[in-house]
Amino acid sequence: MGRLNDLAALGQAVWLDFVDRKFLAEGGLQKMVDEDSLTGVTSNPSIFEKAMGHGDAYDAELAAYDKTNPEAPTMDRYEHLAILDIQAAADTLRPVYDRLGSKDGYVSLEVSPYLANDTDGTIAEAQKLWKAVNRPNLMIKIPGTPAGVPAIAATIDAGINVNVTLLFSQSAYQAVAEAYVEGLEKRAARGEPIDRIASVASFFVSRIDSKIDDKIDAGVGGDAAKPLKGKVAIANAKLAYAWYEEFIASARWQALAAKGAQVQRLLWASTGTKNPDYPDTLYLDTLIGKDTVNTVPPKTLDAYRERGTAAATLNQDVAGARQVISDAERLGLDLDGVTDTLVEEGVASFSKAFDDLLGAIAAKHPAHA
């Protein structure tokens, strides 16, 4: 029993922020499920671009698909490959899902990043992917953009599990938490079951510190701001969790809980440290709490396995976290502006990765390039 197993005892699930055909085929995921208490997997366009766009692991499968579907557009070819990987990962995690009674054991697949500002398109794509993967332990990833919020409510209402991605601000998180509840309430009002529907709210961490630290290094806030370096993202996450604790104590949530509803867990994303001056386990050690998930890239997972610290840190010194956010505002670090920018950059980054991914797949079948 290692450090990663200790997190489960503290109520935090560990998910792997990585998926790859070779890794799945060689039993890498199964090993982590067995040895590290791993209970989930996330993917995104950047991860698939690295997996499919480089090397030859997907070439044979793609060639076989092209033979039977010679006129298939590049998007269909990508989806065919992605769905096979997601199904394989979901099947590996199915015993976890069954053992935990649908509370965990999920694999996430993202709707096209091109749909980030298209509510109806997102809803339709979520339903299409859900049907195509055909696994109960799938989560459809939908960005927490203004257009994404009603899509999240509609997708939950349709009985589809949702991983809300690209959350940076507390206000955006609160909006998607309420969208989750709205979707459950509509199902419950029709007398439909809500006990096996799951959702996570993926709240991004390290990118906030990168932006804020750059501002401090550029002189914003003067010397008074320097002690805030490396602290704003963690404080922001702690306040999101404090709001979550209040929310699930509310009469509105308790009415759903009485019908078996599962809480929408906060999931910490972007937890690999970008600044080499910070400990590589910083965003794991400081964000451990009940009913949360940390989705971790392989390198950071290895670091935590070696030298992480397992303790319930998430609800420690919440007053201090409030002070950090208050100081950041007073000193002109503009957290709201930073989080708005990060959403735009996140959508653009995933769209660029998707462009590159589709381009790489097209290049492997020149007739479709």
Side-chain angles (χ1 to χ4, degrees):
M1 298 293 284
R3 288 181 172 90
L4 286 161
N5 303 94
D6 295 338
L7 294 176
L10 294 167
Q12 183 167 72
V14 177
W15 289 6
L16 181 67
D17 195 24
F18 176 77
V19 67
D20 174 273
R21 175 70 50 93
K22 191 177 176 190
F23 173 73
L24 292 168
E26 293 178 352
L29 177 59
Q30 184 65 59
K31 186 171 189 284
M32 295 175 81
V33 169
D34 294 341
E35 296 180 5
D36 296 319
S37 297
L38 191 86
T39 56
V41 170
T42 47
S43 65
N44 64 46
S46 299
I47 289 170
F48 273 129
E49 192 275 325
K50 289 185 181 74
M52 295 178 190
H54 307 277
D56 57 6
Y58 293 82
D59 290 2
E61 180 62 49
L62 188 57
Y65 180 77
D66 286 347
K67 201 168 181 179
T68 53
N69 301 272
E71 300 304 315
T74 302
M75 179 69 86
D76 289 2
R77 299 164 77 219
Y78 150 72
E79 285 183 356
H80 172 73
L81 297 176
I83 286 165
L84 287 173
D85 276 5
I86 295 299
Q87 287 174 328
D91 291 344
T92 300
L93 285 160
R94 182 62 187 268
V96 175
Y97 173 85
D98 291 339
R99 174 170 55 83
L100 298 176
S102 78
K103 300 288 192 291
D104 213 333
Y106 288 95
V107 182
S108 298
L109 175 62
E110 192 137 1
V111 297
S112 164
Y114 303 150
L115 299 170
N117 298 308
D118 179 349
T119 301
D120 292 341
T122 296
I123 294 167
E125 173 114 337
Q127 292 177 342
K128 182 184 84 169
L129 292 174
W130 175 257
K131 190 175 178 183
V133 173
N134 193 28
R135 298 292 189 275
N137 56 330
L138 173 69
M139 279 189 176
I140 301 294
K141 283 179 96 169
I142 297 175
T145 54
V149 172
I152 291 156
T155 303
I156 292 293
D157 183 13
I160 298 170
N161 308 311
V162 176
N163 175 342
V164 184
T165 188
L166 288 179
L167 296 172
F168 294 92
S169 73
Q170 293 173 55
S171 60
Y173 160 57
Q174 290 167 17
V176 304
E178 288 173 1
Y180 174 57
V181 166
E182 182 188 322
L184 292 177
E185 286 172 339
K186 285 183 176 175
R187 284 183 66 80
R190 295 194 304 270
E192 294 184 28
I194 58 173
D195 58 316
R196 296 185 77 82
I197 297 170
S199 181
V200 293
S202 296
F203 202 85
F204 283 57
V205 189
S206 66
R207 295 183 199 180
I208 290 175
D209 277 341
S210 295
K211 290 278 191 203
I212 294 286
D213 289 0
D214 284 349
K215 287 187 167 216
I216 294 171
D217 288 342
V220 176
D223 288 344
K226 288 179 181 174
L228 297 179
K229 283 188 71 173
K231 292 184 178 172
V232 173
I234 293 163
N236 193 44
K238 284 188 172 189
L239 295 192
Y241 186 71
W243 183 89
Y244 158 82
E245 290 190 305
E246 287 179 14
F247 187 59
I248 62 167
S250 69
R252 186 182 184 191
W253 174 256
Q254 288 300 316
L256 290 168
K259 293 177 176 141
Q262 299 184 35
V263 295
Q264 182 188 53
R265 291 177 293 171
L266 269 160
L267 176 150
W268 312 122
S270 182
T271 52
T273 44
K274 306 281 193 281
N275 187 331
D277 294 337
Y278 298 156
D280 48 8
T281 61
L282 176 67
Y283 300 115
L284 278 83
D285 294 339
T286 53
L287 297 174
I288 301 168
K290 188 182 175 200
D291 290 330
T292 59
V293 182
N294 204 316
T295 184
V296 190
K299 188 176 169 187
T300 308
L301 205 74
D302 291 341
Y304 188 85
R305 196 186 283 115
E306 287 179 18
R307 53 187 169 275
T309 305
T313 48
L314 194 49
N315 48 18
Q316 287 179 6
D317 195 19
V318 175
R322 290 190 199 285
Q323 189 61 54
V324 166
I325 299 301
S326 173
D327 290 347
E329 189 175 328
R330 176 175 56 82
L331 294 167
L333 293 171
D334 188 21
L335 180 58
D336 288 343
V338 164
T339 56
D340 286 348
T341 298
L342 283 166
V343 173
E344 291 171 14
E345 287 183 355
V347 170
S349 170
F350 282 167
S351 294
K352 169 69 167 61
F354 214 57
D355 289 345
D356 293 344
L357 168 59
L358 295 178
I361 290 171
K364 293 188 178 199
H365 189 146
H368 290 265

